[in-house]
Amino acid sequence: SEALYLATDPDREGEAISWHLHELLKDRGLLEGKDVYRVVFHEITKNAVKNAVANPRKLSDDLINAQLARRALDYLVGFNLSPLLWKKIKRGLSAGRVQSPALRLLCEREAEIEKFIPQEYWTIEGDCEQDKQEFLSKLSIYKDNKLKQFDINNEKDATEAKQLLEKNANGKLVVKTVDKKERVRNPAAPFITSTMQQEAVRKLRFSAQKAMRVAQQLYEGIDLGEGAVGLITYMRTDSVVLAQEALDELRTFISDRYGKNNLPNEVRVFKTKSKNAQEAHEAIRPTSFMRTPDDVKSFLSTDQLKLYTLIWKRAVASQMIHATLNLVAVEFECGEGNIFRATGSSIKTPGFMQLYLEGSDDKKEEADERMLPALEVGESVKLNKIRAEQHFTEPPPRFTEASLVKTLEEYGIGRPSTYASIISTLQYREYAEVESRRFTPTEMGRIVNDFLTKHFTQYVDYDFTARLEDDLDEISRGEKDWVPVLHKFWKPFNTLVIDKEESVTREEAVQARELGI
């Protein structure tokens, strides 16, 4: 061939792989007299590939250097800390630049749960009925005082309040106020890597790793009867931007499929949270919105169809009109100075909600998502029962894969391509176990974490880890030289490793946890 086109993934790692190929072929004398080009595309479709080949560029030294720096940092940490753990605790253990701060998150959450002391509190609730529709109300003002969470905190006070209110109510509550208002709800941005993983965990019960594996299949292409077609754009990205041609196609599709009334006058613009979102220039979206899940389902496996449907719906919904909700808050009198309150909502115009609603972790039913009957001031509603309910405050929940990915992203630990591998490493090394889809650090995980947080405090510090990621991003933009960044990291780190190798005994490292130090 007359020319070599390097077409690896459109990120730092892809750039470095192209560079390695280039260097190996050059060393073998196979590139003499040949032109070498780097081509980048974010979807494997005919047009995208043809456009990329028509507009090639040179290999980017900045992206290559950033990847070399990342690899070097990971080796410097892993190949020096891991042998230290072998000597001081147990053979086969590992530590990592990103893995260890993630383990610290799990261990700190577990410590919070263990230290947590539950507090008792009681609520007084009324089971009401109007026009054969049942609904719930809750005591909000008692004896002219607005109730706070712990105002009623024992059975005696709760029983006394219940008896007084039953006597005052005599089987009914009187509507005192009805407050109606509209609320607008906007759609979520199209997927980036972290949000796709979170929603795949919540809605599809995938692991983060499985979500990435299936997304890779959709990106690489599925045979739709006329050869393989890439169905989604590149899935390692932290940008929420959609290309103009995609927006044009999407707006036409929404108008034709859902009607012009579901299309906002202007394109909805989302802000990318990460200041370093530059490695892939688009959010995760279908390569063609006209390819609906129904159109392709006969060519996809069950898992592929589930994830494609999720990506397709999220991207389409992101450019639909907002939803409008009618919110109602009703106050009921129960004798002098006692007020019960009920809230509810109804959908006035569904907008994007007819297609997609974002999931969340640890969600309990929201009171204002219930429906209320039509009520007017002054009318009475039937009170079927007053209940005194005992509750205890709960500790923070253990991390799910979705909430761990979200927290890693919030702290700036790792980058889109690393979340799934971080999680799988914690399990593979037996530092954490998954029970009921939640992470619990193992005893060995906690011993390793205790050792690292005590002796290598700054290297498992969330801010320090995030700042290193920023350094790598600055290298990729040509704003920093990679060698000084490595020097700055290596000298104090190496000194500390040598010091701890000499000063910390194996007994100290292993017994610290047993003694509660």
Side-chain angles (χ1 to χ4, degrees):
S1 61
E2 295 171 9
L4 170 65
Y5 287 85
L6 297 161
T8 47
D9 281 355
D11 55 18
R12 290 177 199 156
E13 196 170 7
E15 202 74 16
I17 292 168
S18 281
W19 175 73
H20 281 293
L21 285 168
H22 178 268
E23 294 302 296
L24 284 166
L25 293 169
K26 190 169 77 173
D27 287 349
R28 293 176 190 180
L30 297 173
L31 295 181
E32 287 172 20
K34 295 187 194 301
D35 293 319
V36 178
Y37 303 107
R38 167 74 163 126
V39 293
V40 175
F41 40 82
H42 294 84
E43 56 185 71
I44 303 178
T45 57
K46 188 175 179 180
N47 283 345
V49 174
K50 283 176 77 173
N51 288 339
V53 172
N55 298 283
R57 63 167 172 78
K58 290 182 178 178
L59 283 166
S60 165
D61 288 338
D62 295 332
L63 291 177
I64 295 161
N65 289 340
Q67 183 62 18
L68 291 176
R70 178 184 288 281
R71 296 277 290 171
L73 280 169
D74 289 345
Y75 284 147
L76 291 175
V77 173
F79 289 175
N80 286 279
L81 274 188
S82 298
L84 188 61
L85 292 175
W86 287 31
K87 287 177 191 170
K88 304 300 179 186
I89 301 173
K90 182 187 169 190
R91 285 187 71 79
L93 298 176
S94 79
R97 182 179 63 85
V98 179
Q99 164 202 324
S100 298
L103 175 61
R104 183 184 164 192
L105 276 172
L106 299 186
C107 293
E108 286 184 346
R109 177 60 58 90
E110 198 64 25
E112 276 183 77
I113 292 167
E114 287 172 354
K115 282 190 292 190
F116 184 80
I117 299 168
Q119 278 186 273
E120 181 182 6
Y121 67 99
W122 290 70
T123 57
I124 310 292
E125 295 171 358
D127 295 331
C128 304
E129 187 181 330
Q130 182 77 335
D131 300 328
K132 296 185 179 175
Q133 184 178 339
E134 295 179 351
F135 61 94
L136 181 77
S137 63
K138 196 170 175 180
L139 184 66
S140 62
I141 295 174
Y142 180 55
K143 295 181 178 177
D144 288 321
N145 292 313
K146 189 172 182 181
L147 281 180
K148 299 190 191 75
Q149 185 176 8
F150 300 106
D151 282 354
I152 302 176
N153 59 17
N154 59 74
E155 188 174 7
K156 179 177 170 291
D157 289 351
T159 304
E160 186 184 292
K162 176 178 178 281
Q163 289 169 348
L164 174 72
L165 293 163
E166 282 173 338
K167 186 181 172 186
N168 285 350
N170 196 22
K172 64 180 183 181
L173 296 176
V174 179
V175 178
K176 186 185 180 188
T177 63
V178 179
D179 183 23
K180 295 179 182 176
K181 55 186 171 191
E182 283 187 0
R183 190 177 79 194
V184 165
R185 186 167 174 177
N186 289 315
F191 281 136
I192 58 176
T193 306
S194 63
T195 53
M196 181 190 75
Q197 289 176 2
Q198 288 167 51
E199 288 288 80
V201 170
R202 291 176 190 136
K203 291 191 161 160
L204 308 181
R205 299 182 82 79
F206 284 8
S207 65
Q209 199 166 33
K210 181 177 178 178
M212 292 305 284
R213 187 170 64 246
V214 176
Q216 181 80 34
Q217 294 161 7
L218 295 173
Y219 168 67
E220 287 181 3
I222 305 291
D223 190 342
L224 301 180
E226 48 192 59
V229 178
L231 293 184
I232 63 167
T233 53
Y234 192 54
M235 64 284 155
R236 294 186 183 93
T237 174
D238 45 13
S239 167
V240 291
V241 173
L242 294 179
Q244 188 57 51
E245 63 196 48
L247 287 167
D248 293 341
E249 183 192 66
L250 179 49
R251 286 177 67 81
T252 301
F253 177 82
I254 291 169
S255 181
D256 292 346
R257 172 64 68 94
Y258 299 102
K260 287 186 178 175
N261 58 319
N262 277 299
L263 187 69
N265 292 331
E266 292 180 7
V267 166
R268 198 181 291 283
V269 178
F270 297 93
K271 274 189 105 172
T272 295
K273 285 181 186 174
S274 169
K275 63 178 182 290
N276 297 311
Q278 91 297 328
E279 292 187 324
H281 305 296
E282 267 202 273
I284 304 168
R285 63 163 174 85
T287 52
S288 171
F289 292 100
M290 303 300 175
R291 232 178 257 122
T292 68
D294 279 344
D295 293 337
V296 296
K297 70 179 177 185
S298 60
F299 302 99
L300 303 184
S301 70
T302 304
D303 287 341
Q304 288 169 346
L305 179 62
K306 282 179 180 176
L307 189 62
Y308 182 73
T309 303
L310 198 70
I311 291 166
W312 186 89
K313 284 186 172 182
R314 172 86 166 217
V316 174
S318 74
Q319 288 301 323
M320 290 178 73
I321 201 159
H322 59 256
T324 307
L325 307 178
N326 286 324
L327 300 186
V328 183
V330 183
E331 289 186 334
F332 303 90
E333 283 184 306
C334 181
E336 196 67 37
N338 305 308
I339 301 288
F340 280 81
R341 182 179 171 85
T343 56
S345 68
S346 59
I347 297 170
K348 185 180 180 185
T349 52
F352 77 92
M353 285 172 66
Q354 64 192 286
L355 194 62
Y356 188 89
L357 259 182
E358 192 172 19
S360 65
D361 291 295
D362 310 305
K363 187 180 179 189
K364 294 174 181 168
E365 188 195 358
E366 298 288 338
D368 63 4
E369 287 181 6
R370 303 181 191 122
M371 297 287 287
L372 288 181
L375 296 165
E376 298 292 334
V377 174
E379 72 177 307
S380 298
V381 299
K382 186 180 176 186
L383 179 63
N384 292 328
K385 191 178 184 182
I386 290 180
R387 289 176 289 106
E389 298 281 346
Q390 184 187 36
H391 309 273
F392 292 93
T393 54
E394 294 180 353
R398 291 187 176 97
F399 286 104
T400 61
E401 279 205 41
S403 59
L404 183 56
V405 166
K406 188 176 182 182
T407 307
L408 289 170
E409 185 189 29
E410 284 170 357
Y411 277 114
I413 299 169
R415 282 295 179 260
S417 57
T418 61
Y419 301 134
S421 62
I422 293 168
I423 289 167
S424 61
T425 302
L426 292 174
Q427 291 173 267
Y428 173 72
R429 293 289 176 186
E430 297 182 352
Y431 288 167
E433 295 170 333
V434 178
E435 195 178 324
S436 303
R437 299 174 63 80
R438 293 187 178 273
F439 287 99
T440 306
T442 60
E443 191 60 20
M444 184 52 71
R446 298 181 79 169
I447 289 170
V448 169
N449 179 66
D450 288 349
F451 177 79
L452 294 174
T453 50
K454 183 178 179 183
H455 299 291
F456 291 87
T457 314
Q458 80 177 96
Y459 298 103
V460 290
D461 178 76
Y462 307 132
D463 288 341
F464 178 82
T465 309
R467 281 198 304 275
L468 264 184
E469 294 287 357
D470 290 342
D471 286 340
L472 292 169
D473 288 322
E474 286 170 17
I475 293 167
S476 72
R477 294 195 296 268
E479 295 164 12
K480 272 188 178 173
D481 186 3
W482 71 292
V483 177
V485 169
L486 288 182
H487 269 300
K488 185 182 171 188
F489 171 83
W490 172 246
K491 286 182 179 177
F493 176 72
N494 187 43
T495 304
L496 188 61
V497 170
I498 293 167
D499 171 57
K500 297 300 178 183
E501 198 161 353
E502 294 168 359
S503 64
V504 181
T505 65
R506 191 170 191 280
E507 290 69 32
E508 236 184 296
V510 178
Q511 287 177 4
R513 175 135 202 88
E514 293 169 14
L515 299 171
I517 297 169

